[in-house]
């Protein structure tokens, strides 16, 4: 199995992979097992016989990766203003590739809120820097512009003969 992994070029040392539920940087491919280091520096040794029966995702195999970042805003907030804020943050991020062009759109609307997602392409080695930059800076800009992030509402009804208090949800 070790020979099949090496000759099949499924991954190589230095690649960041997910094998089944395990994820990390490949530190060694041996005849009987493959060794990964997780992002929090734990070492995982996976028998190659198990690798051959699991799904393998190689995050390092391509030069570029897409970064998707989404926020769910209150349904009472301006979608256009939120999209403008998100795209302005994208324009200020030095890691983002110019092509393919960044994409920002509403991806979901429900009773909780409106979810807006930005999708950008980066060099694979800049994936995490870009993701964290976008998350931090978009959130800060939404707060600075007083755009409310949606919160899950819970309605509680108490059954009694006589109502004690009548509650109305604000519009």
């Amino acid at each position: 199995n070790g020979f099949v992994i090496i000759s099949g070029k499924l991954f190589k040392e230095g690649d960041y992979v997910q094998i089944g539920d395990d994820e990390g940087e490949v530190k060694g491919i041996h005849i009987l097992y493959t060794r990964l280091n997780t992002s929090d520096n734990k070492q995982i040794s996976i028998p190659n016989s198990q690798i051959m029966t699991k799904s393998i995702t190689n995050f390092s195999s391509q030069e570029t990766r897409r970064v998707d970042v989404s926020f769910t805003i209150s349904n009472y907030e301006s979608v256009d203003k939120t999209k403008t804020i998100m795209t302005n943050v994208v324009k200020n991020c030095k890691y983002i590739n110019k092509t393919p062009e960044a994409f920002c759109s509403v991806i979901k609307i429900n009773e909780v809120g409106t979810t807006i997602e930005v999708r950008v392409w980066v060099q694979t080695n800049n994936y995490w820097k870009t993701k964290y930059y976008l998350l931090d800076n978009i959130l800060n800009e939404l707060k600075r512009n007083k755009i409310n992030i949606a919160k899950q509402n819970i309605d509680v009804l108490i059954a009694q003969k006589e109502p004690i208090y009548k509650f109305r949800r604000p519009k």
Side-chain angles (χ1 to χ4, degrees):
N1 287 328
F3 179 73
V4 171
I5 291 169
I6 293 167
S7 65
K9 299 182 182 176
L10 300 172
F11 50 82
K12 63 185 181 313
E13 282 191 37
D15 283 354
Y16 192 86
V17 299
Q18 181 175 5
I19 301 169
D21 294 332
D22 297 313
E23 187 174 313
E25 182 181 347
V26 178
K27 288 298 184 178
I29 304 168
H30 306 281
I31 297 299
L32 298 176
Y33 66 92
T34 294
R35 199 174 76 239
L36 304 180
N37 272 15
T38 64
S39 59
D40 58 348
N41 209 28
K42 294 177 187 163
Q43 188 177 49
I44 301 173
S45 295
I46 307 170
N48 290 335
S49 58
Q50 288 182 15
I51 291 174
M52 298 309 295
T53 63
K54 294 183 179 182
S55 174
I56 300 168
T57 303
N58 187 336
F59 297 102
S60 303
S61 64
Q62 303 297 316
E63 281 186 31
T64 58
R65 278 186 74 187
R66 192 178 78 196
V67 178
D68 301 344
V69 173
S70 62
F71 286 88
T72 302
I73 60 170
S74 165
N75 284 325
Y76 304 106
E77 297 296 343
S78 167
V79 168
D80 290 336
K81 184 176 180 181
T82 303
K83 287 170 65 176
T84 299
I85 290 166
M86 292 174 78
T87 51
N88 284 340
V89 171
V90 165
K91 288 176 187 174
N92 291 323
C93 182
K94 65 183 179 183
Y95 305 116
I96 295 172
N97 295 350
K98 301 295 181 216
T99 56
E101 199 172 305
F103 174 79
C104 185
S105 185
V106 172
I107 60 164
K108 184 167 72 172
I109 303 169
N110 61 26
E111 64 281 350
V112 174
T114 302
T115 303
I116 301 172
E117 183 170 80
V118 65
R119 296 176 180 175
V120 299
W121 288 88
V122 299
Q123 296 306 112
T124 298
N125 60 332
N126 289 329
Y127 178 85
W128 291 110
K129 288 184 267 191
T130 305
K131 184 154 183 110
Y132 295 141
Y133 176 93
L134 293 176
L135 285 169
D136 288 345
N137 288 280
I138 291 171
L139 180 60
N140 288 334
E141 286 301 312
L142 292 176
K143 286 181 178 181
R144 190 178 347 252
N145 285 276
K146 298 182 181 358
I147 302 287
N148 291 312
I149 302 297
K151 297 168 187 68
Q152 182 74 39
N153 292 321
I154 299 173
D155 292 332
V156 178
L157 302 174
I158 301 173
Q160 285 187 260
K161 290 182 184 179
E162 300 284 326
I164 297 172
Y165 176 75
K166 192 172 185 178
F167 176 77
R168 288 193 179 152
R169 178 184 284 174
K171 293 183 180 179

